[in-house]
Amino acid sequence: MNVSIPDCFMIAFAAGLIFGLVYEAIRIVRLILRFRAAVFLCDLVFFILAAMFVCKLSEFLGNYVRLYTVLGFGAGIFTYIVTIGRIFNVLESAASIAWRRTIGRALRFLLRTARNLVGKIRHKAREVFVKIHEYSENLEKKRLERLHLSQEMVYNNVGNDNIGEGEKAHVIQAKVRKSP
């Protein structure tokens, strides 16, 4: 399909206006998830979707990515943001505040309750494990007491005749026996 330059610009401008709704949907996610990673990911998703949409639009309009198609698309998104987007911005901010006051409080209450419950479970489990540890230590002590037998070592300082003459002075023979 071969379209003139002003028509390409106007079609891209209209597509940009419509694509502004995608921006609003992603912006709502940004308002709900208010941490930096979510903002970065939402922006990244928006720009990837916009690039894909411009490429498909350019393919439809003449199989070329033209500068005026990209500029028209950007102008459409910009126009959407500064006109209709401002109205939606006020509505979304009010909805976000209401969300945080109602559902956000409920979620915080549930999280606090779950944290307290997990803390109680952890405390009880710790008591049980401490008792198990003490019991196992007592078993180990009893086992070691049964194994502990007093041994008396008796050394025999009497030299043996089988040992060579040079080694008699430096060698001590020992006989070990258990005491009764």
Side-chain angles (χ1 to χ4, degrees), residues 24-47:
E24 288 300 323
I26 292 174
R27 212 168 130 303
I28 290 171
V29 172
R30 284 176 60 177
L31 284 174
I32 293 172
L33 305 173
R34 298 178 64 100
F35 49 92
R36 289 183 183 176
V39 172
F40 174 75
L41 288 175
C42 287
D43 288 345
L44 185 67
V45 166
F46 173 74
F47 285 112

PDB file of all heavy atoms in Angstrom, residues 24-47:
ATOM      1  N   GLU A  24      -1.656   4.463  29.272  1.00  0.00           N
ATOM      2  CA  GLU A  24      -2.473   4.598  30.479  1.00  0.00           C
ATOM      3  C   GLU A  24      -2.555   3.283  31.245  1.00  0.00           C
ATOM      4  O   GLU A  24      -2.498   3.262  32.471  1.00  0.00           O
ATOM      5  CB  GLU A  24      -3.888   5.089  30.137  1.00  0.00           C
ATOM      6  CG  GLU A  24      -3.948   6.528  29.730  1.00  0.00           C
ATOM      7  CD  GLU A  24      -3.456   7.480  30.803  1.00  0.00           C
ATOM      8  OE1 GLU A  24      -3.691   7.245  32.007  1.00  0.00           O
ATOM      9  OE2 GLU A  24      -2.817   8.480  30.434  1.00  0.00           O
ATOM     10  N   ALA A  25      -2.703   2.185  30.532  1.00  0.00           N
ATOM     11  CA  ALA A  25      -2.777   0.884  31.196  1.00  0.00           C
ATOM     12  C   ALA A  25      -1.469   0.594  31.941  1.00  0.00           C
ATOM     13  O   ALA A  25      -1.483   0.128  33.091  1.00  0.00           O
ATOM     14  CB  ALA A  25      -3.072  -0.213  30.179  1.00  0.00           C
ATOM     15  N   ILE A  26      -0.361   0.886  31.302  1.00  0.00           N
ATOM     16  CA  ILE A  26       0.934   0.652  31.942  1.00  0.00           C
ATOM     17  C   ILE A  26       1.141   1.637  33.093  1.00  0.00           C
ATOM     18  O   ILE A  26       1.709   1.293  34.122  1.00  0.00           O
ATOM     19  CB  ILE A  26       2.070   0.738  30.892  1.00  0.00           C
ATOM     20  CG1 ILE A  26       1.941  -0.452  29.926  1.00  0.00           C
ATOM     21  CG2 ILE A  26       3.431   0.746  31.547  1.00  0.00           C
ATOM     22  CD1 ILE A  26       2.898  -0.429  28.777  1.00  0.00           C
ATOM     23  N   ARG A  27       0.620   2.850  32.942  1.00  0.00           N
ATOM     24  CA  ARG A  27       0.732   3.841  34.006  1.00  0.00           C
ATOM     25  C   ARG A  27      -0.042   3.437  35.259  1.00  0.00           C
ATOM     26  O   ARG A  27       0.373   3.709  36.380  1.00  0.00           O
ATOM     27  CB  ARG A  27       0.221   5.194  33.502  1.00  0.00           C
ATOM     28  CG  ARG A  27       0.932   6.362  34.109  1.00  0.00           C
ATOM     29  CD  ARG A  27       0.578   7.618  33.350  1.00  0.00           C
ATOM     30  NE  ARG A  27       0.165   8.710  34.180  1.00  0.00           N
ATOM     31  CZ  ARG A  27      -0.825   8.741  35.058  1.00  0.00           C
ATOM     32  NH1 ARG A  27      -1.563   7.711  35.215  1.00  0.00           N
ATOM     33  NH2 ARG A  27      -1.097   9.806  35.767  1.00  0.00           N
ATOM     34  N   ILE A  28      -1.162   2.770  35.071  1.00  0.00           N
ATOM     35  CA  ILE A  28      -1.929   2.278  36.220  1.00  0.00           C
ATOM     36  C   ILE A  28      -1.104   1.252  36.988  1.00  0.00           C
ATOM     37  O   ILE A  28      -1.069   1.262  38.223  1.00  0.00           O
ATOM     38  CB  ILE A  28      -3.278   1.689  35.753  1.00  0.00           C
ATOM     39  CG1 ILE A  28      -4.189   2.825  35.262  1.00  0.00           C
ATOM     40  CG2 ILE A  28      -3.954   0.907  36.869  1.00  0.00           C
ATOM     41  CD1 ILE A  28      -5.449   2.354  34.585  1.00  0.00           C
ATOM     42  N   VAL A  29      -0.431   0.384  36.258  1.00  0.00           N
ATOM     43  CA  VAL A  29       0.437  -0.599  36.922  1.00  0.00           C
ATOM     44  C   VAL A  29       1.540   0.129  37.692  1.00  0.00           C
ATOM     45  O   VAL A  29       1.891  -0.247  38.812  1.00  0.00           O
ATOM     46  CB  VAL A  29       1.032  -1.588  35.893  1.00  0.00           C
ATOM     47  CG1 VAL A  29       2.072  -2.486  36.525  1.00  0.00           C
ATOM     48  CG2 VAL A  29      -0.065  -2.405  35.247  1.00  0.00           C
ATOM     49  N   ARG A  30       2.070   1.193  37.118  1.00  0.00           N
ATOM     50  CA  ARG A  30       3.116   1.973  37.791  1.00  0.00           C
ATOM     51  C   ARG A  30       2.588   2.625  39.061  1.00  0.00           C
ATOM     52  O   ARG A  30       3.316   2.765  40.040  1.00  0.00           O
ATOM     53  CB  ARG A  30       3.650   3.054  36.868  1.00  0.00           C
ATOM     54  CG  ARG A  30       4.565   2.554  35.804  1.00  0.00           C
ATOM     55  CD  ARG A  30       4.987   3.638  34.875  1.00  0.00           C
ATOM     56  NE  ARG A  30       5.685   4.707  35.588  1.00  0.00           N
ATOM     57  CZ  ARG A  30       6.211   5.752  34.995  1.00  0.00           C
ATOM     58  NH1 ARG A  30       6.125   5.880  33.683  1.00  0.00           N
ATOM     59  NH2 ARG A  30       6.833   6.664  35.674  1.00  0.00           N
ATOM     60  N   LEU A  31       1.324   3.060  39.053  1.00  0.00           N
ATOM     61  CA  LEU A  31       0.762   3.680  40.249  1.00  0.00           C
ATOM     62  C   LEU A  31       0.543   2.664  41.365  1.00  0.00           C
ATOM     63  O   LEU A  31       0.703   2.979  42.542  1.00  0.00           O
ATOM     64  CB  LEU A  31      -0.575   4.362  39.915  1.00  0.00           C
ATOM     65  CG  LEU A  31      -0.470   5.688  39.186  1.00  0.00           C
ATOM     66  CD1 LEU A  31      -1.848   6.180  38.783  1.00  0.00           C
ATOM     67  CD2 LEU A  31       0.205   6.720  40.075  1.00  0.00           C
ATOM     68  N   ILE A  32       0.171   1.456  40.984  1.00  0.00           N
ATOM     69  CA  ILE A  32      -0.085   0.429  41.996  1.00  0.00           C
ATOM     70  C   ILE A  32       1.229  -0.091  42.560  1.00  0.00           C
ATOM     71  O   ILE A  32       1.406  -0.202  43.769  1.00  0.00           O
ATOM     72  CB  ILE A  32      -0.933  -0.708  41.403  1.00  0.00           C
ATOM     73  CG1 ILE A  32      -2.336  -0.175  41.083  1.00  0.00           C
ATOM     74  CG2 ILE A  32      -1.024  -1.880  42.371  1.00  0.00           C
ATOM     75  CD1 ILE A  32      -3.200  -1.143  40.328  1.00  0.00           C
ATOM     76  N   LEU A  33       2.157  -0.420  41.677  1.00  0.00           N
ATOM     77  CA  LEU A  33       3.475  -0.918  42.106  1.00  0.00           C
ATOM     78  C   LEU A  33       4.436   0.263  42.126  1.00  0.00           C
ATOM     79  O   LEU A  33       4.982   0.642  41.118  1.00  0.00           O
ATOM     80  CB  LEU A  33       3.976  -1.999  41.149  1.00  0.00           C
ATOM     81  CG  LEU A  33       3.053  -3.179  40.910  1.00  0.00           C
ATOM     82  CD1 LEU A  33       3.610  -4.061  39.825  1.00  0.00           C
ATOM     83  CD2 LEU A  33       2.835  -3.951  42.188  1.00  0.00           C
ATOM     84  N   ARG A  34       4.658   0.832  43.278  1.00  0.00           N
ATOM     85  CA  ARG A  34       5.384   2.087  43.371  1.00  0.00           C
ATOM     86  C   ARG A  34       6.865   1.918  43.688  1.00  0.00           C
ATOM     87  O   ARG A  34       7.447   2.755  44.350  1.00  0.00           O
ATOM     88  CB  ARG A  34       4.731   2.974  44.413  1.00  0.00           C
ATOM     89  CG  ARG A  34       3.314   3.339  44.081  1.00  0.00           C
ATOM     90  CD  ARG A  34       2.724   4.165  45.173  1.00  0.00           C
ATOM     91  NE  ARG A  34       3.394   5.422  45.314  1.00  0.00           N
ATOM     92  CZ  ARG A  34       2.964   6.567  44.827  1.00  0.00           C
ATOM     93  NH1 ARG A  34       1.848   6.606  44.165  1.00  0.00           N
ATOM     94  NH2 ARG A  34       3.636   7.671  45.019  1.00  0.00           N
ATOM     95  N   PHE A  35       7.498   0.875  43.231  1.00  0.00           N
ATOM     96  CA  PHE A  35       8.934   0.755  43.471  1.00  0.00           C
ATOM     97  C   PHE A  35       9.680   0.930  42.156  1.00  0.00           C
ATOM     98  O   PHE A  35       9.122   0.762  41.081  1.00  0.00           O
ATOM     99  CB  PHE A  35       9.298  -0.558  44.171  1.00  0.00           C
ATOM    100  CG  PHE A  35       8.707  -1.787  43.549  1.00  0.00           C
ATOM    101  CD1 PHE A  35       9.389  -2.495  42.593  1.00  0.00           C
ATOM    102  CD2 PHE A  35       7.456  -2.235  43.943  1.00  0.00           C
ATOM    103  CE1 PHE A  35       8.850  -3.622  42.026  1.00  0.00           C
ATOM    104  CE2 PHE A  35       6.907  -3.366  43.375  1.00  0.00           C
ATOM    105  CZ  PHE A  35       7.605  -4.053  42.421  1.00  0.00           C
ATOM    106  N   ARG A  36      10.948   1.267  42.234  1.00  0.00           N
ATOM    107  CA  ARG A  36      11.726   1.685  41.066  1.00  0.00           C
ATOM    108  C   ARG A  36      11.829   0.613  39.990  1.00  0.00           C
ATOM    109  O   ARG A  36      11.789   0.921  38.808  1.00  0.00           O
ATOM    110  CB  ARG A  36      13.131   2.091  41.492  1.00  0.00           C
ATOM    111  CG  ARG A  36      13.155   3.377  42.241  1.00  0.00           C
ATOM    112  CD  ARG A  36      14.563   3.778  42.580  1.00  0.00           C
ATOM    113  NE  ARG A  36      14.561   4.998  43.362  1.00  0.00           N
ATOM    114  CZ  ARG A  36      15.630   5.546  43.853  1.00  0.00           C
ATOM    115  NH1 ARG A  36      16.806   4.982  43.654  1.00  0.00           N
ATOM    116  NH2 ARG A  36      15.549   6.651  44.544  1.00  0.00           N
ATOM    117  N   ALA A  37      11.966  -0.623  40.386  1.00  0.00           N
ATOM    118  CA  ALA A  37      12.100  -1.699  39.393  1.00  0.00           C
ATOM    119  C   ALA A  37      10.828  -1.813  38.562  1.00  0.00           C
ATOM    120  O   ALA A  37      10.884  -2.038  37.351  1.00  0.00           O
ATOM    121  CB  ALA A  37      12.413  -3.019  40.086  1.00  0.00           C
ATOM    122  N   ALA A  38       9.666  -1.657  39.192  1.00  0.00           N
ATOM    123  CA  ALA A  38       8.399  -1.734  38.461  1.00  0.00           C
ATOM    124  C   ALA A  38       8.285  -0.575  37.467  1.00  0.00           C
ATOM    125  O   ALA A  38       7.828  -0.761  36.335  1.00  0.00           O
ATOM    126  CB  ALA A  38       7.220  -1.732  39.421  1.00  0.00           C
ATOM    127  N   VAL A  39       8.704   0.611  37.878  1.00  0.00           N
ATOM    128  CA  VAL A  39       8.668   1.771  36.986  1.00  0.00           C
ATOM    129  C   VAL A  39       9.575   1.536  35.784  1.00  0.00           C
ATOM    130  O   VAL A  39       9.186   1.772  34.626  1.00  0.00           O
ATOM    131  CB  VAL A  39       9.078   3.055  37.750  1.00  0.00           C
ATOM    132  CG1 VAL A  39       9.239   4.227  36.803  1.00  0.00           C
ATOM    133  CG2 VAL A  39       8.052   3.369  38.823  1.00  0.00           C
ATOM    134  N   PHE A  40      10.771   1.037  36.040  1.00  0.00           N
ATOM    135  CA  PHE A  40      11.710   0.756  34.951  1.00  0.00           C
ATOM    136  C   PHE A  40      11.144  -0.289  33.992  1.00  0.00           C
ATOM    137  O   PHE A  40      11.190  -0.118  32.774  1.00  0.00           O
ATOM    138  CB  PHE A  40      13.048   0.281  35.528  1.00  0.00           C
ATOM    139  CG  PHE A  40      14.021  -0.178  34.482  1.00  0.00           C
ATOM    140  CD1 PHE A  40      14.683   0.736  33.693  1.00  0.00           C
ATOM    141  CD2 PHE A  40      14.246  -1.530  34.275  1.00  0.00           C
ATOM    142  CE1 PHE A  40      15.576   0.323  32.718  1.00  0.00           C
ATOM    143  CE2 PHE A  40      15.125  -1.955  33.305  1.00  0.00           C
ATOM    144  CZ  PHE A  40      15.796  -1.029  32.522  1.00  0.00           C
ATOM    145  N   LEU A  41      10.603  -1.375  34.548  1.00  0.00           N
ATOM    146  CA  LEU A  41      10.049  -2.432  33.695  1.00  0.00           C
ATOM    147  C   LEU A  41       8.846  -1.944  32.893  1.00  0.00           C
ATOM    148  O   LEU A  41       8.694  -2.290  31.719  1.00  0.00           O
ATOM    149  CB  LEU A  41       9.668  -3.651  34.531  1.00  0.00           C
ATOM    150  CG  LEU A  41      10.845  -4.459  35.062  1.00  0.00           C
ATOM    151  CD1 LEU A  41      10.351  -5.569  35.976  1.00  0.00           C
ATOM    152  CD2 LEU A  41      11.661  -5.034  33.922  1.00  0.00           C
ATOM    153  N   CYS A  42       7.993  -1.137  33.512  1.00  0.00           N
ATOM    154  CA  CYS A  42       6.833  -0.593  32.782  1.00  0.00           C
ATOM    155  C   CYS A  42       7.281   0.305  31.633  1.00  0.00           C
ATOM    156  O   CYS A  42       6.736   0.232  30.527  1.00  0.00           O
ATOM    157  CB  CYS A  42       5.920   0.169  33.740  1.00  0.00           C
ATOM    158  SG  CYS A  42       4.993  -0.895  34.852  1.00  0.00           S
ATOM    159  N   ASP A  43       8.271   1.157  31.886  1.00  0.00           N
ATOM    160  CA  ASP A  43       8.797   2.011  30.814  1.00  0.00           C
ATOM    161  C   ASP A  43       9.414   1.178  29.699  1.00  0.00           C
ATOM    162  O   ASP A  43       9.200   1.449  28.510  1.00  0.00           O
ATOM    163  CB  ASP A  43       9.836   2.990  31.368  1.00  0.00           C
ATOM    164  CG  ASP A  43       9.217   4.082  32.204  1.00  0.00           C
ATOM    165  OD1 ASP A  43       7.979   4.260  32.123  1.00  0.00           O
ATOM    166  OD2 ASP A  43       9.956   4.752  32.946  1.00  0.00           O
ATOM    167  N   LEU A  44      10.167   0.162  30.073  1.00  0.00           N
ATOM    168  CA  LEU A  44      10.796  -0.710  29.085  1.00  0.00           C
ATOM    169  C   LEU A  44       9.741  -1.417  28.231  1.00  0.00           C
ATOM    170  O   LEU A  44       9.854  -1.458  27.002  1.00  0.00           O
ATOM    171  CB  LEU A  44      11.694  -1.730  29.796  1.00  0.00           C
ATOM    172  CG  LEU A  44      12.513  -2.646  28.903  1.00  0.00           C
ATOM    173  CD1 LEU A  44      13.570  -1.835  28.164  1.00  0.00           C
ATOM    174  CD2 LEU A  44      13.168  -3.737  29.736  1.00  0.00           C
ATOM    175  N   VAL A  45       8.707  -1.946  28.874  1.00  0.00           N
ATOM    176  CA  VAL A  45       7.631  -2.631  28.141  1.00  0.00           C
ATOM    177  C   VAL A  45       6.938  -1.654  27.193  1.00  0.00           C
ATOM    178  O   VAL A  45       6.654  -1.989  26.041  1.00  0.00           O
ATOM    179  CB  VAL A  45       6.624  -3.267  29.125  1.00  0.00           C
ATOM    180  CG1 VAL A  45       5.346  -3.675  28.435  1.00  0.00           C
ATOM    181  CG2 VAL A  45       7.252  -4.457  29.815  1.00  0.00           C
ATOM    182  N   PHE A  46       6.676  -0.440  27.671  1.00  0.00           N
ATOM    183  CA  PHE A  46       6.005   0.549  26.815  1.00  0.00           C
ATOM    184  C   PHE A  46       6.842   0.866  25.572  1.00  0.00           C
ATOM    185  O   PHE A  46       6.315   0.874  24.454  1.00  0.00           O
ATOM    186  CB  PHE A  46       5.730   1.839  27.589  1.00  0.00           C
ATOM    187  CG  PHE A  46       5.189   2.932  26.722  1.00  0.00           C
ATOM    188  CD1 PHE A  46       3.884   2.892  26.261  1.00  0.00           C
ATOM    189  CD2 PHE A  46       5.995   3.981  26.333  1.00  0.00           C
ATOM    190  CE1 PHE A  46       3.389   3.883  25.444  1.00  0.00           C
ATOM    191  CE2 PHE A  46       5.504   4.985  25.519  1.00  0.00           C
ATOM    192  CZ  PHE A  46       4.202   4.934  25.071  1.00  0.00           C
ATOM    193  N   PHE A  47       8.133   1.110  25.748  1.00  0.00           N
ATOM    194  CA  PHE A  47       8.963   1.472  24.594  1.00  0.00           C
ATOM    195  C   PHE A  47       9.149   0.299  23.627  1.00  0.00           C
ATOM    196  O   PHE A  47       9.189   0.499  22.415  1.00  0.00           O
ATOM    197  CB  PHE A  47      10.306   2.045  25.042  1.00  0.00           C
ATOM    198  CG  PHE A  47      10.178   3.447  25.563  1.00  0.00           C
ATOM    199  CD1 PHE A  47      10.392   3.725  26.898  1.00  0.00           C
ATOM    200  CD2 PHE A  47       9.818   4.481  24.721  1.00  0.00           C
ATOM    201  CE1 PHE A  47      10.260   5.009  27.375  1.00  0.00           C
ATOM    202  CE2 PHE A  47       9.680   5.775  25.188  1.00  0.00           C
ATOM    203  CZ  PHE A  47       9.900   6.042  26.523  1.00  0.00           C
TER     204      PHE A  47
END
